[in-house]
Amino acid sequence: MSKPSDFFLYSNYRYNGEFSPEKLAFNSNLQEFTQKVSYICSLETAGKLTPEESYQQIKSLWKDLKRSKKQLGIGAQNPANNNGDIDLQGD
């Protein structure tokens, strides 16, 4: 049984977009990415991580998210959107 703090720490919001199993899985991965980035930012702000450590961790998470997007075939039908890539200096 989950505790009330679990929702606060690991909040997960309902997917309201066009449904497909791939899009639902990617949405879940995206929510996990944003939650982890938020934690990293908080740790860096508190001085527990250096800016370089934070950058490297977020860059690694971003690569994982991009890999997930590619494996799930999200955006593959519309090459005009540049596949959602964002340049992260040296990526």
Side-chain angles (χ1 to χ4, degrees):
M1 183 177 234
S2 63
K3 300 175 281 184
S5 63
D6 286 347
F7 178 75
F8 177 74
L9 294 173
Y10 310 107
S11 60
N12 201 2
Y13 297 96
R14 182 175 301 193
Y15 178 66
N16 292 313
E18 182 182 322
F19 179 79
S20 76
E22 295 82 9
K23 289 179 180 179
L24 185 63
F26 181 72
N27 181 267
S28 176
N29 294 342
L30 183 61
Q31 288 188 44
E32 182 179 349
F33 169 80
T34 60
Q35 189 69 40
K36 288 180 179 181
V37 168
S38 177
Y39 289 151
I40 292 167
C41 290
S42 295
L43 289 169
E44 194 273 335
T45 299
K48 304 294 182 183
L49 290 175
T50 68
E52 183 60 29
E53 289 171 323
S54 301
Y55 173 82
Q56 291 302 325
Q57 288 186 24
I58 292 171
K59 184 177 178 181
S60 175
L61 291 171
W62 178 253
K63 286 182 178 183
D64 292 344
L65 186 65
K66 281 177 53 175
R67 189 175 314 114
S68 142
K69 179 180 178 276
K70 186 175 181 179
Q71 289 173 345
L72 292 167
I74 303 295
Q77 295 80 15
N78 187 6
N81 71 359
N82 195 25
N83 293 326
D85 291 342
I86 297 173
D87 186 20
L88 289 179
Q89 298 176 354
D91 186 22

